[in-house]
Amino acid sequence: MVQAGGVETALDVRALEQALRERVDGEVRFDNGSRGAYATDGSNYRQVPIGVVVPRTVDAGAAAVAVCADFGAPVLSRGGGTSLGGQCTNTAVVIDWTKYCHQVLSIDAEQRTCVVEPGIVLDELNRQLADHKLQFGPKPSTHSHCSLGGMIGNNSCGGSAQAYGKTVDNVRRLEILTYDGTRCWVGPTSDEEYAEIIAAGGRRAEIHQGLREIIDRNLADVRRGFPRIPRRVSGYNLDSLLPENGFDVARALVGSEGTLATVLRAELDLVPLPPCEALLVLGYDDICAAADDVPRLLKHSKPTQLEALDGRMAQLMREEGAYLDSLHELPEGESWLLMQFTGDSQDEVDEQAHQLIRALGREADDPTVAFSDDPAREHKMLKAREAGLGVTARPPDGRETWEGWEDSAVAPEVLGDYLRDLKKLFTEFGYDHPSLYGHFGQGCVHTRIPFELTTAQGVAHFREFLLRAADLVASYGGSLSGEHGDGQARGELLPRMFGKELVTAFGQMKALFDPDNRMNPGKVVDPYRVDENLRLGPLWRPDSHSTHFSYPDDDHSFDRAVLRCVGIGNCRTHEGGVMCPSYRATGEEEHSTRGRARLLFEMLDGHADSAITDGWRSTEVRDALDLCLACKGCKSDCPVGVDMATYKAEFLSHHYEGRLRPAAHYSMGWLPVWARLSRLAPRLVNAALAAPGIADLGKRLAGVAVERDAPVFAEESFVEWWRARGSTEPDPGDPRTVLLWPDTFSTYFHPDVAKSAVRVLEDAGFNVAVPTSPVCCGLTWISTGQLTTAERVLRRTLDVLRPWLEAGTPVVGLEPSCTAVFRADAPELLPDDQDVRRLAGQFRTFAEQLLNHAPEGWRPPSLTRTATVQTHCHQHAVTKDDADRELMRRAGIDADVLDAGCCGLAGNFGFEQGHYDLSMTVAEQGVLPAVRETAPGALVLADGFSCRTQIEQGDTGRRALHLAEALALGLDGQHLPADHPEKLAARPERSARDGRLLTAGAAATVLGAAAAGTHWIRNRRSTR
């Protein structure tokens, strides 16, 4: 039995799955992993789907609906899955359109229209439209990953709706599919077209006639009962069927959340891309005062955006250390209104802003006024507003906040009074300090509220608050939703806004399109209660877990760490930042940070119907985490700081506890040990790693991708070179002393990096020391989940470093991933160890040491070169690259620091069997093409060993240098070569001859042994 929309239905799930596999050109997934990944969206709600279908074409998606109809299975169309009202979670067959059905089918620049498939992401659509100087007008904050199909389903808006309206105002026609198989284009319908449709008969005629009858019966109620405000998104768009609105069936379906029909294609209206823009920001004493001023601002100007953020959000940003550069751009005040103006010339745009300033009686140099026509500065200021959901989700005071009443809207003229009453309601229910922000130019208010959703009393208060808030917004003639839609969060509340007659009309519209209630049932019409199907709820009882990491920012709880993900979906972006490389390569929800977090949530087994029931031993979770590169991009790029690399290490540790691990965990997880052993015969080791036949066999046995060339061990390691140098060990307490960290990669593979660092540090006036006893950060054991071993390695390292730690000697790291361990991972693994805390505070990057602590008067050598720079992902996430950028600037390096994502190698990941293809796909999405396009005379810089290796093995024709190597070359005073300057840096070279000789020797040995064995056997037989 399957329950959907409150109705239990007998459903042969196995037969349904088989039929979908036979009849649908797509990926059909009924496994627990896929079902768990799609069990929730960005809302408070959770429903485990029956299965997931990823159609390869629009026609395949239509075929999937037909199969479901044959079995009576509910259907849910899904885009980016960012919905905040629960409309993208259901006990249904989920059709995910985003992986394949994302084409722009046509663009008519003259008519300013285009036709698209439902899975295309908004930013990608606008990228393709940019050459035509056009764009799709509405732009929600999720523009980097929301799909057009989802925008149509939700009637999305965003800040630009101030100028361009909601999605409904920008849809011309839709190709739809009903559950019973009717497929047709719909749009505005003249009386003549209506007559033709009715005359043709059939299901299309039945739908049009039924809609005409519904609107004819409810003309007065619709005209009177639909709020005439800019942001009415709740309910079905019956007002689009009014005669004065052209009986527009397409627009009537916008915002119906997949409850009426499936959208297969959409014809959209486009708007010109404004050539010039400017931003005006005004400061106010509080958010209500800001809201009071909105009508006056609109009277004197026509901004394309009028956004607001309050002092509470600014406070959270400061406490979390997030978007500080955005805050610095804001004028004085405790709340702010941000107005964007656009036009055909910069003078025209600037004058719009200055006219408003004069009309308000303010001056441009007033401390409460900030004006900018610099796009970069504007972007910073608007970034603060777009960050709202992520910043407010996990405030530092420990009280989690939730959606539920995050989207109400009223007329701008009454916004200030509404906010005052809403704040009174917060106080009455004890929900103190919710941030208030949003699209104030259209009266839309966003907030997140600290509901208590894990106890019966807390859920009861949650429900009562929503009922009271619905009555409040209705009393102001407002809308329950101003852009996020109804779903389950507001469906039950619709009668309080629209009244019984209009809600009955909604039901009639639903019955006309979907009489059996199979299209996203339980949402909008005949909805679930607002307190049903909660992701948490009073019955949620997750298993408790003892862990290796301490999770200090999550109350020392793995369960709470997993709950960080609130479904924003930034991990589904396709460009910019690092997160999430595996999703960018596969397009799979399960391989996004969000999808993995959802599976870990299911693994907690807090619900009776949890998709994952075998905890740490789950193969579904293991498989989802297998393609996680552990790049840590999500630690910095995720708005709520999900750290999937840490969760992966934790999971692997428990998953393989007491069991045999994959071979790669022993070969690459223990790399520091094998690297030290290589000192016995490095040339022989290199020969074996390159020997035809032998090398491939060894890779297979070691779990290494045969496509990869093994890195070459140096004949002389850095530590061996240091010992031979015979330098006197400096006093640890000398303020000029620094301890150079001899990481495995700079010691055994690229010793020239460490040697160069010594030269530059000494040139800067530092006394360099190097630990000659074995030390290691434990990175390879951490990344493979061998955390008990990593802890032992770290404790031994601390013993070696103790004299330096006690003296407070700075420790300088060259390998970014090692630095990130000491700054982030080690303190979480050994939270009570004072030496770990000391080391975290004393560990610096090479650039940080030179930039911030070099003796006064020291200047780096001048290189005067351009450079393509790839920042290591762990540096991006943990230590940042600000110091590197400034050091390069001072050295005369014109650095093009790539924003091209992860290199794809990511430590051991790209070397493991089964990962090579994905590793190279990730690299080809940004880093490798950028390196290939680098001018021959430019430098290629990458501090990470993985990045340098990927660039060298990625058919770029280039070798990347560490910044230390580049600066050391500058110390020589010679001009760098005009072509490929990296050839001056020393690198261990592979000897093909040694490999061939080893193979020949091995073959001769085998043949000799075989001959000897044959001779011995014959002799034995002859003596019998």
Side-chain angles (χ1 to χ4, degrees), residues 48-119:
V48 181
I50 299 168
V52 178
V53 177
V54 184
R56 290 191 174 89
T57 65
V58 166
D59 289 341
V65 174
V67 172
C68 290
D70 290 345
F71 283 81
V75 171
L76 165 61
S77 279
R78 177 165 163 143
T82 60
S83 297
L84 295 170
Q87 52 266 64
C88 273
T89 176
N90 215 324
T91 306
V93 174
V94 174
I95 301 177
D96 185 344
W97 298 93
T98 58
K99 186 174 181 180
Y100 299 113
C101 300
H102 47 56
Q103 301 301 309
V104 177
L105 301 175
S106 66
I107 299 173
D108 188 332
E110 290 187 3
Q111 294 297 316
R112 294 180 181 170
T113 64
C114 68
V115 178
V116 301
E117 293 178 338

Side-chain angles (χ1 to χ4, degrees), residues 347-425:
D347 288 342
E348 172 198 341
V349 173
D350 292 354
E351 182 56 24
Q352 290 182 58
H354 289 120
Q355 280 184 355
L356 177 59
I357 294 173
R358 291 192 294 269
L360 298 177
R362 300 197 193 189
E363 299 293 335
D365 58 357
D366 190 309
T368 62
V369 175
F371 169 77
S372 173
D373 55 12
D374 173 24
R377 188 180 177 209
E378 292 174 43
H379 178 74
K380 279 186 179 180
M381 288 191 275
L382 287 172
K383 197 74 175 176
R385 163 55 196 92
E386 284 192 357
L389 195 160
V391 169
T392 58
R394 294 287 295 262
D397 62 11
R399 294 209 303 171
E400 292 171 319
T401 64
W402 304 94
E403 43 280 324
W405 193 253
E406 83 294 341
D407 189 35
S408 56
V410 296
E413 292 75 16
V414 297
L415 180 58
D417 290 338
Y418 170 67
L419 291 183
R420 292 181 182 90
D421 285 344
L422 183 60
K423 293 178 79 169
K424 290 177 184 177
L425 197 60

Side-chain angles (χ1 to χ4, degrees), residues 1-275:
M1 301 293 289
V2 171
Q3 186 171 25
V7 178
E8 283 196 351
T9 304
L11 181 64
D12 189 336
V13 175
R14 287 188 177 181
L16 170 63
E17 178 185 3
Q18 183 62 34
L20 286 167
R21 293 187 185 281
E22 292 174 355
R23 294 168 54 184
V24 175
D25 178 18
E27 300 168 13
V28 177
R29 304 170 184 166
F30 278 60
D31 60 283
N32 289 337
S34 296
R35 294 170 63 238
Y38 285 84
T40 188
D41 47 16
S43 71
N44 297 329
Y45 300 99
R46 169 190 171 277
Q47 291 176 273
V48 181
I50 299 168
V52 178
V53 177
V54 184
R56 290 191 174 89
T57 65
V58 166
D59 289 341
V65 174
V67 172
C68 290
D70 290 345
F71 283 81
V75 171
L76 165 61
S77 279
R78 177 165 163 143
T82 60
S83 297
L84 295 170
Q87 52 266 64
C88 273
T89 176
N90 215 324
T91 306
V93 174
V94 174
I95 301 177
D96 185 344
W97 298 93
T98 58
K99 186 174 181 180
Y100 299 113
C101 300
H102 47 56
Q103 301 301 309
V104 177
L105 301 175
S106 66
I107 299 173
D108 188 332
E110 290 187 3
Q111 294 297 316
R112 294 180 181 170
T113 64
C114 68
V115 178
V116 301
E117 293 178 338
I120 190 167
V121 169
L122 175 58
D123 272 5
E124 175 59 22
L125 171 61
N126 283 335
R127 186 189 67 78
Q128 295 190 40
L129 293 172
D131 288 343
H132 302 278
K133 294 183 171 52
L134 296 171
Q135 64 176 346
F136 186 66
K139 188 179 181 181
S141 61
T142 54
H143 53 84
S144 63
H145 50 283
C146 67
S147 73
L148 265 295
M151 291 181 68
I152 292 167
N154 274 12
N155 196 7
S156 299
C157 304
S160 62
Q162 183 78 34
Y164 306 123
K166 306 184 291 289
T167 294
V168 67
D169 303 311
N170 295 271
V171 167
R172 182 167 293 198
R173 295 190 309 147
L174 297 175
E175 184 186 16
I176 64 166
L177 174 72
T178 63
Y179 189 75
D180 59 16
T182 301
R183 182 172 176 174
C184 61
W185 282 89
V186 296
T189 312
S190 66
D191 289 342
E192 293 78 9
E193 290 171 314
Y194 177 80
E196 291 176 4
I197 292 170
I198 298 303
R203 181 76 169 113
R204 185 185 180 205
E206 179 184 331
I207 290 172
H208 280 74
Q209 183 173 347
L211 290 173
R212 177 65 65 88
E213 291 172 355
I214 290 171
I215 194 62
D216 285 347
R217 285 195 301 269
N218 295 278
L219 277 173
D221 288 330
V222 171
R223 287 172 175 149
R224 182 176 57 249
F226 272 63
R228 294 186 179 182
I229 59 175
R231 286 294 190 97
R232 194 279 307 159
V233 168
S234 283
Y236 290 149
N237 293 334
L238 291 178
D239 54 337
S240 293
L241 298 175
L242 290 170
E244 59 266 32
N245 293 329
F247 193 69
D248 195 325
V249 178
R251 293 188 174 187
L253 293 174
V254 172
S256 59
E257 303 176 2
T259 61
L260 302 178
T262 299
V263 174
L264 301 179
R265 296 181 180 89
E267 183 179 359
L268 309 173
D269 286 319
L270 307 174
V271 297
L273 199 60

Side-chain angles (χ1 to χ4, degrees), residues 854-881:
E856 186 176 352
W858 179 81
R859 293 289 182 269
S862 179
L863 291 168
T864 318
R865 282 294 173 99
T866 59
T868 296
V869 183
Q870 169 64 6
T871 302
H872 191 285
C873 295
H874 289 191
Q875 183 171 3
H876 170 88
V878 179
T879 61
K880 309 304 179 186
D881 65 351

Side-chain angles (χ1 to χ4, degrees), residues 355 747 891 913:
Q355 280 184 355
T747 295
Q913 284 179 1

Side-chain angles (χ1 to χ4, degrees), residues 905-924:
L905 193 59
N908 57 289
F909 177 86
F911 274 96
E912 292 182 3
Q913 284 179 1
H915 292 171
Y916 177 79
D917 288 341
L918 185 132
S919 172
M920 297 309 297
T921 298
V922 171
E924 292 291 355

Side-chain angles (χ1 to χ4, degrees), residues 229 292 363 431 445 448 485 527 535 549 593 605 630 718 756 763 790 807 896 978 998:
I229 59 175
D292 289 337
E363 299 293 335
Y431 299 143
V445 182
R448 288 179 66 89
R535 184 151 60 101
F549 289 101
T593 305
D605 202 19
F718 166 65
S756 298
D763 179 76
D896 175 18
L998 183 62

